[in-house]
Amino acid sequence: MALPPWTVDLLRRGVADLARQATDPETAQNLKDQASKLVEELPRAAREKVDTILKQAEASAAPFRDAWAGTSAFQGPQSLINGAGNLSHERGSGVAVDPSVLAAAAPYLMGDCSLSHDRRNTQPVERFLSEPCGTDVQVLVVNSFDAGLSLIGQCGRRAGRILVPRCCAVPLRSGSPACLADELQRWTGGAVREVGTSDGIQESDLVDAMGGCPSRSFGGQRTTTLVRLPKECCTLDVESRRKHGVSEIVVAPSARLLGASTEGCCSAAGLIRAGADAALIGGGVLTGTPGMGILIGRSEWMKVWNEDPRVSMLQAPDAMAAMLNAAALLACDNNLPVDRLIAASESNLQDRAERLATQLSGIDGVTSAVVTQDSATMPLESGKLPSRQVLVRVNTSSPAVVVERLTKGDTCLLVEPSDDGVAIDLRWVTPDQQAKISQLFAAAIH
């Protein structure tokens, strides 16, 4: 007796779905045994069809099963605990993206969500930012910070020109010697000119660079854009700049979306409120998002980008914009993961450091573990925060060897070596992460 087509289809979908869920080898084997018994009771024709389905399902589940068993060549990412005290460590910050931010992207990634053509996918974050900025703003999310730089570089093409203060001749990002002018030069092909001195920029420097030719509006044949870093010496009087028709874009690889700058870190909202026409910031730990480029500007200034066909090639997917919207909502309440770490009091860090020192002192090979009080650092020149460290001295290996061992394995613990031992800074470590440190340290010194 032949099975009805709907029965065969039901078996196919059911078995394939169960096989996809079977990441445990034992569970997968039990599923296969049960399915084999079921197949034996079916007529021959149906049995052959179901047997084929089982083989296909098993093959599709193999990568998940191998990854679970550790037999796959695929190398998964390490969990990162940042005990180095440097939020912008080259290996990463160790601060996770909030689950609500990741959840905001899920509908777009699964493909069951879309936006109408007349609705901007950044409207929520624009609503959050308009009041702190003191004006209506528009936000453009691009795939990366470099993509944002390339977009700014378009201001120097054709009849436009880009001016960069000489006091911005500092590395734009840690680990790279390239300065702001160098990066823009790479995207514009020669329309970048440095002005002023290493001490700052004056109105006369602007007039000399323009050669007596006033800048025109966006629709004119000649535009001048001052692109600078968020440094006080780079600031030019807003009235003087606008008198000559010069736009200003502030480039800040590490900045917050909004909020107070009590810890010395600038925010995009603060830059716009101070007079900048736009600000380009990089997505990351301070914005509470994955890596992306975020261009925030006054609505009248941003209109030119809405008409530029190159924007569509650089614009990030809706999923990334959704994550930015969710992160901005958290930033309004100072509830980003990094905000919670910044808000930790010195007494809280002191108590945690004393508990960790007690735990580490009980490990064989550790001669002492004492609490110290050096500062933790924010990205680049953003500032420092008071912190607590546990300085661990060992008699089994040199501090450099212990530090190297701690970066291996499924969980990477970033710490700093010194002549006295190994320092574990707790400013950027969550309590959940701290619970793993003693076990990791014990494994590293044996």
Side-chain angles (χ1 to χ4, degrees), residues 3-345:
L3 289 175
W6 62 268
T7 304
V8 175
D9 183 62
L10 182 63
L11 286 169
R12 178 188 297 112
R13 288 188 284 111
V15 173
D17 183 61
L18 286 174
R20 280 195 298 269
Q21 300 178 35
T23 58
D24 184 341
E26 183 178 351
T27 303
Q29 185 60 44
N30 291 337
L31 171 64
K32 184 175 180 180
D33 294 341
Q34 294 174 11
S36 298
K37 294 179 182 179
L38 175 63
V39 170
E40 291 175 358
E41 299 176 2
L42 297 175
R44 179 178 178 181
R47 186 163 60 243
E48 292 176 352
K49 290 183 180 180
V50 175
D51 187 55
T52 301
I53 295 171
L54 284 172
K55 290 180 180 178
Q56 293 174 348
E58 184 177 7
S60 64
F64 299 99
R65 185 175 60 251
D66 291 343
W68 186 91
T71 58
S72 174
F74 171 75
Q75 297 295 324
Q78 290 179 297
S79 296
L80 179 63
I81 301 175
N82 184 6
N86 180 8
L87 186 59
S88 59
H89 195 281
E90 60 181 6
R91 293 288 295 272
S93 68
V95 182
V97 175
D98 193 88
S100 65
V101 175
L102 298 177
Y108 297 91
L109 297 176
M110 291 188 295
D112 59 357
C113 185
S114 65
L115 291 171
S116 58
H117 294 293
D118 59 346
R119 179 183 173 190
R120 293 174 55 82
N121 59 7
T122 53
Q123 282 182 342
V125 68
E126 291 166 357
R127 184 172 64 252
F128 297 142
L129 289 174
S130 290
E131 183 177 351
C133 289
T135 183
D136 289 337
V137 297
Q138 290 187 7
V139 177
L140 178 62
V141 182
V142 292
N143 292 312
S144 65
F145 183 76
D146 283 341
L149 285 175
S150 70
L151 195 60
I152 293 176
Q154 304 307 317
C155 298
R157 292 189 178 275
R158 297 180 182 178
R161 54 193 166 193
I162 292 178
L163 305 179
V164 179
R166 285 193 172 87
C167 52
C168 293
V170 295
L172 185 59
R173 286 168 287 195
S174 58
S176 173
C179 301
L180 177 58
D182 300 330
E183 293 284 354
L184 292 172
Q185 183 85 23
R186 183 158 63 100
W187 300 111
T188 60
V192 178
R193 179 176 177 180
E194 292 187 281
V195 297
T197 67
S198 58
D199 295 327
I201 181 174
Q202 304 294 329
E203 183 180 356
S204 58
D205 300 321
L206 193 65
V207 174
D208 292 342
M210 296 173 65
C213 178
S215 180
R216 300 186 182 180
S217 62
F218 290 116
Q221 297 297 316
R222 188 71 167 172
T223 61
T224 301
T225 306
L226 179 68
V227 183
R228 67 176 181 86
L229 297 178
K231 300 174 62 177
E232 289 297 328
C233 63
C234 306
T235 304
L236 189 65
D237 181 72
V238 177
E239 293 184 1
S240 300
R241 177 171 52 79
R242 291 179 177 173
K243 180 176 65 176
H244 298 284
V246 177
S247 301
E248 182 183 71
I249 304 176
V250 182
V251 176
S254 298
R256 302 164 70 84
L257 282 171
L258 61 144
S261 307
T262 54
E263 68 280 357
C265 182
C266 68
S267 68
L271 295 171
I272 300 295
R273 180 178 285 276
D277 293 293
L280 172 66
I281 64 177
V285 60
L286 292 178
T287 59
T289 67
M292 60 178 73
I294 308 169
L295 184 63
I296 304 168
R298 301 175 185 272
S299 295
E300 64 274 11
W301 189 90
M302 291 288 288
K303 289 178 181 177
V304 65
W305 299 116
N306 296 331
E307 303 171 358
D308 194 319
R310 288 164 292 205
V311 169
S312 60
M313 296 185 292
L314 299 175
Q315 199 162 5
D318 288 338
M320 296 180 72
M323 286 190 281
L324 178 61
N325 292 331
L329 179 60
L330 294 176
C332 288
D333 298 327
N334 290 325
N335 200 29
L336 289 172
V338 69
D339 291 330
R340 295 192 288 269
L341 293 174
I342 289 174
S345 64

